[in-house]
Structures are given as C-alpha cells and as structure tokens.
Amino acid sequence: MIETITRIPVAHYKNVKARAGYSIRVDTTEVALFKTTTGQVYALENRSPHPKGGVLSEGLISGEYVYCPVYDWKISLVDGKVQAPDEGQVRTFKVEVKEDIIFIVL
C-alpha cells in the first residue's frame, strides 16, 4: 500500500512572528499556526478542547505551550495535550519548513 503525503504551503517563515498565533484554513479545518522564540513552528486545530470551545490562535504562547484565551488552559504545542489539573487534547499537524515556506503535512 502506498501512502500519499500532501504538503500544503500555508505561510512564509519570515512573515510569522514569534509568540503570535495565526488562523489559517486547510481544506475544511481551521488551524492555528504558532512560532516559538526558538523558531520552531507548530500547528494545532484552532479550537479549545474546553467543552464551551474557544479560539487557540488568540492565546498566549509561553515556551512550547499555548494558553487558551478564554479558559486559561495550558496546552502543549508539541502533542496538543491539556496540562493537569485540566484534561483534554487538540489535534496537532506535522509542520515542515523548506526554503522559507511553512508547510502543513497531511
């Protein structure tokens, strides 16, 4: 079986500011794109795992975490897991940077 990998260009690396969130649409999914102060780029589904929802792209970035702007849940940019004492997880997307272009890999 051959697996198809799709790389979708979503932004220029130099145009994405560190510690800021960006909302982009990939097919029918809204994705939050973040760059940390170390230059690493992460992509998460742009919704809070809190039962009442929220938009993660408006959250605060600290290290490898984003804080939900509505409920202050601490969410890992690496694996999408909500940190204790809260529980939950958001979908993460693989990101590649090649020649100043950020790609979401599906």
Side-chain angles (χ1 to χ4, degrees):
M1 175 189 249
I2 297 174
E3 183 178 333
T4 302
I5 298 173
T6 303
R7 289 179 179 85
I8 301 170
V10 294
H12 287 276
Y13 182 84
K14 65 182 177 191
N15 292 340
V16 177
K17 295 180 182 177
R19 299 183 68 194
Y22 297 86
S23 177
I24 57 174
R25 185 161 296 278
V26 176
D27 292 326
T28 60
T29 304
E30 191 172 336
V31 176
L33 192 69
F34 303 99
K35 183 178 6 175
T36 65
T37 55
T38 63
Q40 185 69 36
V41 180
Y42 295 96
L44 304 172
E45 188 169 359
N46 194 20
R47 63 164 183 79
S48 173
H50 190 280
K52 294 184 180 178
V55 180
L56 292 181
S57 61
E58 296 174 3
L60 297 174
I61 304 300
S62 179
E64 292 185 331
Y65 296 94
V66 59
Y67 288 83
C68 174
V70 179
Y71 305 102
D72 202 35
W73 281 13
K74 183 178 180 182
I75 302 163
S76 170
L77 294 172
V78 176
D79 60 15
K81 290 184 181 176
V82 175
Q83 305 303 293
D86 300 305
E87 296 179 358
Q89 187 168 4
V90 294
R91 181 178 174 195
T92 60
F93 298 89
K94 183 177 178 183
V95 174
E96 292 181 358
V97 179
K98 295 194 186 283
E99 299 177 9
D100 191 52
I101 304 294
I102 299 171
F103 294 89
I104 301 290
V105 182
L106 302 175

